[in-house]
Amino acid sequence: MDPPVRVSEDGVIAVIKTVFDPEIPVDIYELGLIYAVEIGDDGKVKVEMTLTTPSCPSAQELPAQVEEAVRAVPGVTDVLVEVVWDPPWDQSRMSEDARLALNMY
């Protein structure tokens, strides 16, 4: 029997980068909406994320899209996506690439 596939943080982040806020042409990882990725030895992944505002129109779909994307990573056995509001998101959490893409220097 083959040993279980070890889930890599890079692999999880790569699939999270395929999820985009429909109102902003930058992926949610580069926007700074992902606060933490925890990977258990048993393949369980916990993602802590936030949204740009509590009234975000994508409040339901973005966490579901993250969960669906992470579930597709080889070796992942379960996914929990938790939306947190502390600390609140602000533009300082965006990557330099995101700022360039949005002309926010």
Side-chain angles (χ1 to χ4, degrees):
M1 187 168 141
D2 292 333
V5 176
R6 179 88 174 118
V7 179
S8 78
E9 185 174 10
D10 288 344
V12 171
I13 290 170
V15 298
I16 289 173
K17 286 183 170 192
T18 67
V19 178
F20 285 76
D21 184 313
E23 298 178 345
I24 305 171
V26 175
D27 72 78
I28 65 169
Y29 188 83
E30 296 298 329
L31 277 176
L33 298 181
I34 303 299
Y35 285 179
V37 174
E38 298 171 14
I39 302 169
D41 291 336
D42 57 359
K44 292 182 179 177
V45 178
K46 179 181 178 188
V47 177
E48 285 186 7
M49 68 175 290
T50 195
L51 302 168
T52 52
T53 67
S55 59
C56 175
S58 301
Q60 298 300 317
E61 67 190 68
L62 285 177
Q65 289 176 3
V66 169
E67 180 179 343
E68 182 179 340
V70 173
R71 280 194 190 283
V73 174
V76 170
T77 59
D78 197 15
V79 180
L80 172 64
V81 177
E82 185 178 353
V83 177
V84 297
W85 301 108
D86 189 30
W89 179 86
D90 64 53
Q91 293 176 2
S92 71
R93 299 182 89 56
M94 294 168 55
S95 71
E96 189 173 326
D97 288 344
R99 286 193 189 111
L100 288 172
L102 299 173
N103 292 320
M104 301 173 101
Y105 303 100

